[in-house]
Amino acid sequence: MANNDIIAVLKKTAKKQPVFLLSEIIPYLDEPLAVDQIFSAIAKKLPGLGLLAKKTGNDYTISQKTAEETLAITAVEAGRQDASFASQRMPPILETAIEQYIVKKTGKELSDPVMLDRLRKAIVFQKSDYWKPTHQRALKYTKAYSVLGYLAYHFPVYFVQTEHLLAMLARDGLLKEKMTVLDAGTGPGVVPLAIADFWSRLETATATVYSIERSEEHIEAFLSLRDQCTKKGERVSIKPPIKADLVTFDPEKIPQQIDLMVFSNSLNELGGLSIEERADLVLKLAGRLAPDGSILIVEPAEETTSTSLRLLALALKKRGLTIHSPCSFIWGTNCTPDRCWSFATGRNIQPTRLMGRLSECDEPFRYINIDIKYSYVVLRKDEKTRHSYRVPAKSRVLRVSQVHRHIDKRVNFIAAKMSENLGDGKNLMFRLCDGTADKPVFAVVPVYHVTPENEVLKTAPYGTIVKLDGVLVRYNKAHNAYNLLVSRNTRVTMAEVPDQED
Ligand SMILES: C[S@@+](CC[C@H](N)C(=O)[O-])C[C@H]1O[C@@H](n2cnc3c(N)ncnc32)[C@H](O)[C@@H]1O
């Protein structure tokens, strides 16, 4: 009997029954075969059919593959990733590809002063546009120089930042050995190229990356960089971007089971859309997310953009998605994110050669972009969260929403550390959140009050849930916020096993 006939029977059975024994298909075969004979005929085809086989006595249980295997990074792979992060720069091949693309597009050498000046102007325009309210922004990336300016100024930082986020997703067990990714608003392919680079240090994992972008100039840059930096047949396959507007995009144009959907610095560019309309857009695409897939939304750390991301995350939570991280709803309440300005940070990257050239002018600082600061949220369709911690029923701690009743008193709280140090050389300051407050709350520690009993506040990674015993509550009228003063008598401990964050 031909293998194709066995496969046809197998497919038909799998359509009717999500789980069955391989022996159950024997009566439907033209020629009776033994279970082992059938198995050797179909074994290699099973992954492609989305089926799994499990030895069950002398038989095999066949089931639908609902979750791809989670990517577990080996020690050797982790060593390679660490070495790459230690360099804090883009791969040399990508840095060169960007330079060559600029030379090709402009027809000028990189030393050309007129070309460098036009790049500087494009960067200044992009930065000034960025600080405008979203509805007044004009940037559409229709001009060559706006994309070249993006490649010179934003690309390097966002590329390294994406790799930090991929490492975070891997630590959280949200990446798979074999996965399908969608990058919405891909620009010149920062996320797909970062995936290709990150995966190049893994042994066996594979990924297929789809993307959506509306700017032709960005798509041209994307394809050029992809073709220079990746080869056909590698374990990451980067498909050409789908040219489309995210607002009117038809989700049927992308595969059904996306494992990771990324919106990196793109949703804030949808200036005309309200938070609810952005939530509609994300949910429309989430219709194509696998049941165990993740959505990663990343935005710049700037206050308005960052706060809008939190409002969007809550809107999506209210409409059925789960916030996996970084937020932890430790009292089981929804939060009030109107003034939630929380971002993660990473070590500065090394300036690129091109940044070096651009900074040979009167205002060099304007053209060097090396800070990694970003706000992110990971959302899921299932109920998986990074932290499952809830404040125990008999804890002698207050909800942060009650802080106004305890001004000038010493009290205890449990909250997540939602910033790195925002203070200065004399006082360390960390944003705290327990999901209940409507005004910003900060832990403030004079440097000389840092002791072994409270230093975990300083050293714990972003998002860690800590218990603070004996903080003095102060109201900061100028900022309509609360400061919880940590002294050498305050004890700060981990409320749960630590989680790692880059
Ligand atoms: C700031 S760039 C981000 C690019 C890349 N994701 C990154 O993180 O570097 C925003 C991208 O979103 C794209 N974009 C903005 N609005 C869009 C829309 N309505 N439809 C499709 N793409 C859009 C822009 O063209 C641009 O390429």
Side-chain angles (χ1 to χ4, degrees):
M1 182 175 183
N3 280 4
N4 282 352
D5 298 335
I6 305 177
I7 299 290
V9 175
L10 187 74
K11 274 183 170 168
K12 217 169 168 184
T13 315
K15 258 194 182 164
K16 286 198 218 136
Q17 291 169 243
V19 182
F20 58 94
L21 288 172
L22 198 49
S23 59
E24 287 178 60
I25 73 168
I26 294 175
Y28 304 101
L29 300 179
D30 290 341
E31 293 165 29
L33 290 174
V35 166
D36 280 338
Q37 286 174 301
I38 304 173
F39 184 71
S40 37
I42 61 161
K44 284 194 179 154
K45 303 266 184 200
L46 287 173
L49 297 172
L51 296 174
L52 281 176
K54 198 172 155 217
K55 187 99 175 103
T56 313
N58 293 330
D59 211 329
Y60 291 88
T61 302
I62 308 292
S63 58
Q64 305 277 356
K65 192 156 51 165
T66 50
E68 296 280 356
E69 255 181 86
T70 302
L71 174 75
I73 293 197
T74 64
V76 174
E77 291 170 336
R80 288 186 203 137
Q81 300 295 4
D82 289 349
S84 167
F85 280 124
S87 78
Q88 285 297 103
R89 57 187 324 143
M90 289 191 297
I93 187 176
L94 189 50
E95 186 167 348
T96 304
I98 288 177
E99 290 174 348
Q100 288 175 349
Y101 183 71
I102 293 174
V103 170
K104 191 179 102 193
K105 266 303 263 191
T106 60
K108 309 269 187 228
E109 287 307 311
L110 286 177
S111 53
D112 185 277
V114 177
M115 186 276 286
L116 286 172
D117 224 38
R118 288 191 70 183
L119 270 186
R120 287 189 193 101
K121 286 202 175 86
I123 292 168
V124 170
F125 175 78
Q126 252 168 57
K127 291 206 286 184
S128 65
D129 192 70
Y130 175 75
W131 291 106
K132 287 182 189 154
T134 41
H135 63 277
Q136 287 176 15
R137 292 198 203 157
L139 196 58
K140 291 272 191 299
Y141 307 102
T142 45
K143 301 217 166 71
Y145 266 93
S146 64
V147 169
L148 301 184
Y150 196 85
L151 292 174
Y153 187 80
H154 288 103
F155 190 115
V157 144
Y158 288 155
F159 181 89
V160 176
Q161 172 179 305
T162 304
E163 300 221 8
H164 280 281
L165 285 157
L166 292 170
M168 175 193 83
L169 294 172
R171 281 197 301 276
D172 283 333
L174 303 185
L175 298 184
K176 297 178 183 177
E177 266 292 316
K178 178 179 174 220
M179 59 195 293
T180 306
V181 182
L182 173 74
D183 183 31
T186 192
V190 171
V191 171
L193 290 164
I195 290 176
D197 185 53
F198 191 89
W199 259 243
S200 72
R201 293 182 289 277
L202 304 176
E203 295 286 338
T204 54
T206 61
T208 306
V209 188
Y210 295 83
S211 59
I212 306 167
E213 173 56 52
R214 72 173 170 189
S215 149
E216 270 173 26
E217 287 291 341
H218 266 312
I219 292 175
E220 187 185 335
F222 177 119
L223 292 173
S224 169
L225 298 180
R226 178 196 72 161
D227 293 347
Q228 290 240 46
C229 302
T230 63
K231 290 193 200 86
K232 281 214 165 76
E234 283 180 348
R235 280 178 293 103
V236 173
S237 162
I238 303 179
K239 304 286 181 200
I242 301 169
K243 184 178 179 327
D245 190 317
L246 284 171
V247 179
T248 50
F249 183 70
D250 173 5
E252 302 230 329
K253 291 191 174 150
I254 48 171
Q256 278 197 13
Q257 300 284 309
I258 304 277
D259 301 300
L260 175 65
M261 251 176 214
V262 184
F263 297 83
S264 171
N265 304 302
S266 52
L267 287 179
N268 76 78
E269 293 207 355
L270 303 174
L273 300 195
S274 66
I275 296 290
E276 285 304 324
E277 287 166 336
R278 284 182 207 184
D280 288 341
L281 190 153
V282 174
L283 286 172
K284 179 178 78 173
L285 288 174
R288 308 302 270 186
L289 189 70
D292 61 347
S294 304
I295 300 174
L296 169 66
I297 308 179
V298 191
E299 294 287 20
E302 177 273 325
E303 184 171 5
T304 316
T305 315
S306 172
T307 307
S308 297
L309 171 63
R310 301 290 163 228
L311 291 166
L312 172 64
L314 185 67
L316 289 165
K317 181 172 189 275
K318 287 184 175 167
R319 291 172 63 178
L321 294 183
T322 299
I323 297 182
H324 167 277
S325 53
C327 313
S328 46
F329 297 87
I330 61 176
W331 290 95
T333 57
N334 271 341
C335 59
T336 311
D338 308 50
R339 292 181 65 199
C340 178
W341 181 16
S342 170
F343 53 87
T345 54
R347 268 200 305 134
N348 286 359
I349 65 160
Q350 296 292 328
T352 57
R353 287 186 295 264
L354 188 53
M355 285 183 200
R357 284 184 190 274
L358 289 165
S359 64
E360 286 164 9
C361 62
D362 292 343
E363 299 172 300
F365 58 91
R366 295 182 90 170
Y367 308 104
I368 301 271
N369 186 19
I370 53 173
D371 291 10
I372 299 201
K373 280 187 186 167
Y374 55 95
S375 296
Y376 77 90
V377 65
V378 177
L379 299 141
R380 304 265 307 177
K381 272 184 176 170
D382 59 17
E383 294 185 354
K384 192 174 169 96
T385 54
R386 180 185 292 159
H387 301 279
S388 53
Y389 179 87
R390 290 284 178 275
V391 178
K394 288 187 183 155
S395 298
R396 294 168 60 81
V397 294
L398 293 171
R399 287 179 186 232
V400 175
S401 56
Q402 298 302 308
V403 68
H404 59 284
R405 301 203 177 145
H406 300 273
I407 291 169
D408 298 331
K409 291 187 191 140
R410 281 196 184 279
V411 285
N412 309 332
F413 292 103
I414 294 177
K417 171 181 164 180
M418 293 309 289
S419 76
E420 291 306 337
N421 180 22
L422 303 169
D424 52 27
K426 285 187 182 163
N427 293 297
L428 307 179
M429 190 165 122
F430 304 95
R431 178 176 275 270
L432 296 177
C433 178
D434 74 348
T436 69
D438 56 359
K439 289 182 184 155
V441 177
F442 300 92
V444 180
V445 201
V447 171
Y448 57 87
H449 274 299
V450 175
T451 68
E453 280 69 44
N454 64 32
E455 73 177 351
V456 75
L457 182 63
K458 186 173 138 190
T459 57
Y462 177 78
T464 305
I465 303 169
V466 291
K467 180 160 190 281
L468 303 104
D469 287 304
V471 285
L472 184 62
V473 178
R474 295 272 198 242
Y475 176 57
N476 181 338
K477 199 171 169 193
H479 292 98
N480 190 16
Y482 294 95
N483 289 343
L484 308 181
L485 303 188
V486 174
S487 73
R488 58 173 58 91
N489 297 322
T490 309
R491 211 174 119 76
V492 184
T493 48
M494 298 268 198
E496 57 158 18
V497 181
D499 286 84
Q500 292 296 308
E501 177 85 32
D502 257 7

